[in-house]
Amino acid sequence: MPVNEEFKPTIVAFCCNWCSYAGADLSGTNRLQYPANVKIIRIPCSCRLNPMFVLRAFQRGADGVILCGCHPGDCHYTTGNYYARRRMTLLFSMLDFLGIERERTRVEWVSAAEGAKFAATMNDFSATIHKLGPNRRLEDLRCRKD
Amino acid sequence: MQRVGVFVCWCGSNIAATVDVEKVAEVLAKEPGVVFSTNYQYMCSQAGQEMIQESIAKYNLTGVVICSCSPRMHENTFRKTCEKAGLNPYMVEIANIREQCSWIHKDKETATEKAVILGRAAIAKVHLNAPLTSGTSPVKKRALVIGGGIAGIQTALDIADAGFDVDIVEKEPTIGGKMTQIDKTFPTLDCAACILTPKMVDAAQNEKIHIYSYSEVSSVKGFVGNFKVTIKKKARYVDETKCTGCGLCTEKCPQKKVPNAFNLGLDNRRAIYIPFAQAVPKVATIDADYCTMLKSGKCGVCSKVCTAGAIDYTQKDAFIEQEYGAIVVATGFNPIKLDQYDEFAYSQSPDVVTSLEFERLMNAAGPTGGTLLRPSDGQHPHTIVFVQCVGSRCDDSKGKPYCSKICCMYTAKHAMLCREKYPDTDVYVFYIDVRTPGKNFDEFYRRAVEEYGVHYVKGMVGKVVPENGKLKVQASDLIGNQQLHIDADMVVLAAAIEPDKSARPLATMLTASMDTNDFFTEAHPKLRPVESPTAGIFLSGACQGPKDIPETVAQASAAAAKVIGLLNKDHLVCNPCTAQPDELMCNGCSSCEKVCPYGAITYVDKEFRGPNRTTLLRRVAQVNPAVCQGCGACTVACPSGAMDLKGFSNKQIMAEVDAICR
Ligand SMILES: Cc1cc2nc3c(=O)[nH]c(=O)nc-3n(C[C@H](O)[C@H](O)[C@H](O)COP(=O)(O)OP(=O)(O)OC[C@H]3O[C@@H](n4cnc5c(N)ncnc54)[C@H](O)[C@@H]3O)c2cc1C
Ligand code: FES
């Protein structure tokens, strides 16, 4: 589709400092490619992700939001990712209710050793968003760039 | 608004090859608040750092953004650089344009565009940064070692040697661990007791070491440098200070039918006992499950024969509170239970034993006085079959997926010792692989085969059937490609080893992490092998993974070195990125307290000004910055949004989101 070819999605990836951010670094060290429209924001732990941040991202025109944290049981703060998992389950179903497709949001566990998984996840997620097309649901027109 | 300086690094060609660094610096110069923007070949070099420092002074910068490699790499470097130039180190933000940009993109235009956006996000964040100061917390100069096996003993001795007080908490009545039960040790075949018991005595006599035997850790609070630990001293019904260890009571006690746990139930002991002659501390313990006096109030023989008056039937569990700067976990391992391995007839025949039971049968201080006799009839066995990897390297739920590492070597040892002591015995070892890496280990195994004539057969034993006083062993010989039927007198199973069952609850108490097999995980598998990811908790010995004695001791000393390094400090610098409640918004609901994994949040009643000159007393949250580790769980849990995280505040992250989505 010609429309989709021009479409450059904005994807925000929140990564916990201890595992996933390190995993993202590792995929860099190993020169594993993923699309440039994925932009990473470092947070101390996946449990730092306030649902507000996700809403804000969608309001400002993000097309997809992904949260990466340590594998269950491996959180640097022991239990943070369990909180994150529950909160995101709730948030995502609410977003779904608001018309933001489930595929636009994702939680993925990536360890510091899983550079390849990080790149694969981002490739996959970005392809999914590409297929879905731009997010128009929560986007605040007043925040439009153009 | 800050006066921001932007410094774009080329990282040689690592960044500059795919990102147009000049353009990035140029575009970012137009961002609000940016008063200076430049690029340089190696920002982290001496010259680069000096340039940053000069620019801070020249342009009176209040915030610095460095577009370079990952903050995991050089965040600290640049923080220090700026600190030296008089800027608060937390006014620095890093935009990761190497690992997360130049290295993963090939197209220069896209990469440059992305680098600009990442730079913008960092600028947006730095505008909201606030200077932070790291607090310090004092270090309690005392260490706790949990578990008194060879690992715990070695760690304690080394720490004490450096002049610090150490407490050993051991759950059994004596320290020493598994090594006390072993007969001879590979690869040198010196006797375990001869090398272990002097160390146990050293530990007992060392003024700096205090041993809490028959004790457990019941609660752990606090954090690195300041742990508050409650130790439960279980009632042993004997006054440790009075007991001389003469052992008279253990001979006179009329309750003779207690399975002797030290000999793994191969013989019996009395209800009052000293596990073995060289026990440390050498103090009797009453087994409350079997003592007639404790159960029915009738007996009291031990109290009558004790000339020291040490017996005290009314003794209760005692709880001791102590503060520590560091904690070492040395809880060791146990062989797995073999009840589920019916094919080897372990529960059906007493002549099928585990390797550890075999150690006791060979041990001069064991139930047979060191003569190898069959448990069933006390006869000398002529054919012995050893089975390796029982429960190790297993895919099913019965066993363990990992290699227990020590079994190849101790089985070779057992086989060799049998052949040496009793040259008339036939010894078979069934194996999947023989794994003997280690100094002088392979030589040792080859000696068993070549010099001692042990029959090593590659293959697994399928079934053991007890029949007419013999054990019929059916096995496959994979190399000879045939089925073997051996009439054995004894079968010895090399059971897999697993962490002690008490390790999991202990890990929860310590907030230390474990792998799926319940071995403690290290902070880094290669570079920080003796530290747990939780600050102030260290790992020693087989609790971290299967290990033989040389490896255990090496790790024990390494852990001690880390502890000494920590205890040598008077103060620890705390991470200043901690949670902070806004007291005006907080309504004391306790949501944050519930999610805090460290117990860093408490509540106080504070006076606030109410309407019409009244004062209101309100319950508000307070965060102990020395305890808070800055995960941010509470910031999201807070329903009124009163809690925020310094360094990663709501506004800062939101600003980054805005910059990226712009
Ligand atoms: C059959 C057999 C033969 C072996 N032969 C050899 C050999 O020849 N050469 C060799 O190098 N190695 C040999 N080994 C390995 C050796 O036993 C171990 O390397 C060594 O014992 C590990 O020491 P450790 O201190 O880590 O653990 P352990 O010896 O298991 O000590 C752990 C201690 O901690 C205590 N503990 C556990 N949990 C708690 C708790 N929650 N609170 C308080 N205390 C607790 C336990 O009671 C125990 O005293 C053999 C092992 C087996 C099974
Ligand atoms: S630190 Fe990675 S999820 Fe908590």
Side-chain angles (χ1 to χ4, degrees):
Chain A
M1 277 182 286
V3 183
N4 268 3
E5 258 162 36
E6 275 171 32
F7 169 49
K8 276 195 202 151
T10 306
I11 295 171
V12 184
F14 291 96
C15 291
C16 89
N17 181 38
W18 302 96
C19 281
S20 307
Y21 195 86
D25 278 354
L26 185 64
S27 66
T29 316
N30 293 341
R31 312 291 197 276
L32 302 171
Q33 300 200 23
Y34 55 86
N37 37 37
V38 175
K39 312 281 185 327
I40 296 171
I41 294 183
R42 183 163 72 131
I43 49 178
C45 171
S46 58
C47 68
R48 176 67 187 94
L49 186 69
N50 199 317
M52 224 160 51
F53 305 159
V54 181
L55 292 173
R56 176 80 157 214
F58 282 124
Q59 183 201 28
R60 297 281 150 147
D63 302 295
V65 175
I66 180 166
L67 167 64
C68 298
C70 312
H71 283 270
D74 287 349
C75 170
H76 183 74
Y77 308 98
T78 343
T79 46
N81 45 10
Y82 295 125
Y83 293 130
R85 182 165 64 183
R86 278 208 216 169
R87 287 170 188 158
M88 291 310 125
T89 312
L90 279 178
L91 175 71
F92 294 169
S93 54
M94 188 198 83
L95 285 175
D96 191 24
F97 181 72
L98 292 180
I100 300 235
E101 301 89 332
R102 278 314 300 255
E103 294 80 22
R104 285 196 195 276
T105 47
R106 198 186 279 191
V107 174
E108 200 75 51
W109 311 128
V110 180
S111 83
E114 293 175 331
K117 181 175 178 187
F118 187 85
T121 306
M122 291 309 150
N123 281 318
D124 181 64
F125 189 57
S126 161
T128 313
I129 301 298
H130 225 273
K131 260 190 231 131
L132 286 172
N135 154 48
R136 297 253 176 262
R137 279 293 171 174
L138 271 188
E139 192 189 6
D140 189 336
L141 291 182
R142 288 165 300 180
C143 308
R144 276 293 269 283
K145 353 186 176 186
D146 29 72
Chain B
M1 184 152 295
Q2 315 285 359
R3 292 176 58 81
V4 181
V6 177
F7 301 86
V8 186
C9 180
W10 301 17
C11 195
S13 65
N14 278 307
I15 294 172
T18 23
V19 170
D20 184 346
V21 280
E22 273 167 34
K23 184 165 173 214
V24 173
E26 226 170 78
V27 176
L28 292 182
K30 298 191 194 99
E31 284 295 303
V34 176
V35 291
F36 178 67
S37 177
T38 186
N39 61 79
Y40 185 67
Q41 220 156 8
Y42 289 107
M43 225 34 116
C44 60
S45 68
Q46 182 83 28
Q49 294 192 38
E50 276 165 13
M51 183 181 80
I52 297 173
Q53 288 168 335
E54 282 159 19
S55 317
I56 291 174
K58 191 165 163 202
Y59 298 98
N60 200 8
L61 301 181
T62 57
V64 166
V65 166
I66 296 168
C67 302
S68 61
C69 55
S70 170
R72 296 171 54 87
M73 191 86 183
H74 275 315
E75 189 170 50
N76 261 338
T77 317
F78 291 124
R79 277 184 177 162
K80 280 195 195 127
T81 312
C82 293
E83 194 174 19
K84 281 195 203 123
L87 190 67
N88 184 286
Y90 291 89
M91 297 308 291
V92 179
E93 285 300 329
I94 311 274
N96 185 344
I97 61 164
R98 191 178 77 174
E99 280 85 347
Q100 294 176 6
C101 188
S102 73
W103 276 355
I104 46 168
H105 306 310
K106 286 215 168 106
D107 178 41
K108 199 158 183 172
E109 202 182 320
T110 4
T112 308
E113 202 179 307
K114 178 168 174 181
V116 167
I117 295 178
L118 293 179
R120 265 189 204 142
I123 295 169
K125 185 175 180 195
V126 89
H127 276 306
L128 298 162
N129 278 20
L132 301 176
T133 27
S134 325
T136 57
S137 66
V139 178
K140 189 85 202 150
K141 304 217 172 248
R142 193 182 188 95
L144 170 66
V145 175
I146 307 173
I150 179 65
I153 294 173
Q154 186 63 45
T155 306
L157 283 172
D158 286 355
I159 297 173
D161 223 19
F164 296 106
D165 288 308
V166 200
D167 293 347
I168 300 179
V169 170
E170 166 59 57
K171 69 177 158 89
E172 300 296 330
T174 171
I175 58 170
K178 240 56 77 211
M179 207 176 150
T180 55
Q181 294 168 301
I182 297 174
D183 179 34
K184 298 218 162 45
T185 54
F186 63 74
T188 46
L189 295 185
D190 38 3
C191 96
C194 313
I195 52 178
L196 175 67
T197 47
K199 279 205 184 283
M200 291 163 61
V201 174
D202 279 354
Q205 290 177 345
N206 195 314
E207 280 177 5
K208 294 273 175 195
I209 301 180
H210 186 91
I211 300 171
Y212 292 99
S213 62
Y214 211 47
S215 303
E216 276 163 30
V217 169
S218 66
S219 93
V220 179
K221 292 211 172 64
F223 51 95
V224 53
N226 283 286
F227 292 107
K228 288 186 183 54
V229 178
T230 312
I231 298 165
K232 174 177 156 192
K233 220 168 158 10
K234 295 180 275 186
R236 70 197 309 165
Y237 307 102
V238 173
D239 187 336
E240 274 179 42
T241 53
K242 290 186 186 157
C243 177
T244 59
C246 70
L248 196 59
C249 54
T250 66
E251 287 161 23
K252 297 288 188 236
C253 170
Q255 176 54 278
K256 297 178 185 168
K257 287 259 152 52
V258 186
N260 186 352
F262 183 71
N263 283 336
L264 304 153
L266 291 167
D267 64 351
N268 288 332
R269 59 159 165 79
R270 313 290 172 108
I272 185 163
Y273 67 104
I274 297 174
F276 59 101
Q278 295 91 355
V280 169
K282 198 164 179 196
V283 172
T285 306
I286 294 183
D287 190 334
D289 293 339
Y290 292 93
C291 173
T292 351
M293 184 67 185
L294 288 174
K295 284 168 80 177
S296 60
K298 291 190 208 90
C299 181
V301 171
C302 51
S303 146
K304 278 175 214 131
V305 298
C306 180
T307 48
I311 310 290
D312 173 8
Y313 298 115
T314 59
Q315 204 174 66
K316 295 258 161 2
D317 292 349
F319 290 87
I320 299 143
E321 299 215 345
Q322 190 58 266
E323 292 185 1
Y324 299 99
I327 300 180
V328 182
V329 186
T331 49
F333 71 99
N334 275 313
I336 60 165
K337 294 256 174 304
L338 293 181
D339 315 351
Q340 291 198 26
Y341 289 86
D342 271 344
E343 61 267 39
F344 300 127
Y346 178 71
S347 335
Q348 294 152 36
S349 166
D351 295 335
V352 181
V353 297
T354 65
S355 298
L356 198 54
E357 288 164 2
F358 190 79
E359 292 277 353
R360 297 311 300 151
L361 291 173
M362 294 287 280
N363 195 308
T368 53
T371 325
L372 180 59
L373 301 172
R374 291 180 4 138
S376 62
D377 53 8
Q379 292 300 310
H380 168 59
H382 294 282
T383 308
I384 307 177
V385 169
F386 287 89
V387 188
Q388 291 201 171
C389 287
V390 178
S392 298
R393 305 169 68 194
C394 257
D395 306 327
D396 55 31
S397 58
K398 275 201 304 195
K400 304 287 171 188
Y402 50 86
C403 165
S404 296
K405 198 172 184 179
I406 52 177
C407 324
C408 286
M409 280 302 284
Y410 70 57
T411 302
K413 168 184 80 174
H414 292 162
M416 195 188 269
L417 289 174
C418 282
R419 291 281 299 161
E420 185 174 69
K421 250 179 163 173
Y422 311 103
D424 60 327
T425 45
D426 259 338
V427 176
Y428 295 87
V429 176
F430 285 90
Y431 65 94
I432 308 179
D433 296 298
V434 176
R435 296 182 165 178
T436 51
K439 194 169 168 184
N440 293 330
F441 281 18
D442 204 55
E443 292 88 325
F444 182 85
Y445 151 67
R446 285 212 310 273
R447 242 169 63 214
V449 181
E450 289 159 14
E451 273 176 46
Y452 288 86
V454 177
H455 308 299
Y456 266 79
V457 187
K458 186 175 173 80
M460 216 27 207
V461 170
K463 209 170 171 61
V464 176
V465 185
E467 218 175 275
N468 305 331
K470 285 275 183 192
L471 297 164
K472 299 228 173 274
V473 178
Q474 298 169 16
S476 49
D477 172 358
L478 291 182
I479 293 176
N481 199 12
Q482 56 178 340
Q483 286 292 315
L484 295 181
H485 296 271
I486 300 168
D487 283 347
D489 300 306
M490 264 184 95
V491 171
V492 184
L493 306 176
I497 63 175
E498 62 179 1
D500 196 273
K501 289 274 181 255
S502 64
R504 172 71 52 182
L506 186 66
T508 313
M509 254 189 265
L510 296 169
T511 63
S513 45
M514 289 188 135
D515 63 18
T516 45
N517 298 310
D518 278 8
F519 285 113
F520 283 87
T521 33
E522 51 284 356
H524 188 284
K526 279 169 262 173
L527 304 178
R528 293 170 69 195
V530 299
E531 296 156 78
S532 125
T534 306
I537 312 280
F538 301 87
L539 311 174
S540 169
C543 64
Q544 179 259 347
K547 276 186 194 63
D548 55 24
I549 297 163
E551 277 185 317
T552 299
V553 173
Q555 204 202 13
S557 289
K562 288 283 170 194
V563 171
I564 295 163
L566 170 63
L567 297 190
N568 245 326
K569 294 187 182 134
D570 291 325
H571 291 280
L572 291 178
V573 179
C574 321
N575 168 20
C577 297
T578 52
Q580 195 178 32
D582 180 341
E583 286 176 350
L584 292 176
M585 283 161 87
C586 174
N587 60 16
C589 71
S590 290
S591 301
C592 52
E593 184 202 12
K594 283 188 204 120
V595 296
C596 179
Y598 303 99
I601 302 174
T602 47
Y603 293 88
V604 285
D605 287 322
K606 265 203 173 172
E607 275 185 13
F608 290 88
R609 226 172 59 204
N612 305 329
R613 304 210 171 134
T614 50
T615 47
L616 299 171
L617 207 56
R618 267 184 38 225
R619 194 174 113 100
V620 289
Q622 283 211 318
V623 176
N624 181 346
V627 184
C628 175
Q629 301 287 314
C631 66
C634 54
T635 58
V636 186
C638 179
S640 43
M643 197 61 98
D644 212 346
L645 188 65
K646 289 189 263 180
F648 289 95
S649 71
N650 289 338
K651 280 195 177 146
Q652 283 174 311
I653 298 178
M654 226 96 99
E656 282 182 277
V657 171
D658 291 357
I660 285 176
C661 297
R662 197 164 73 176

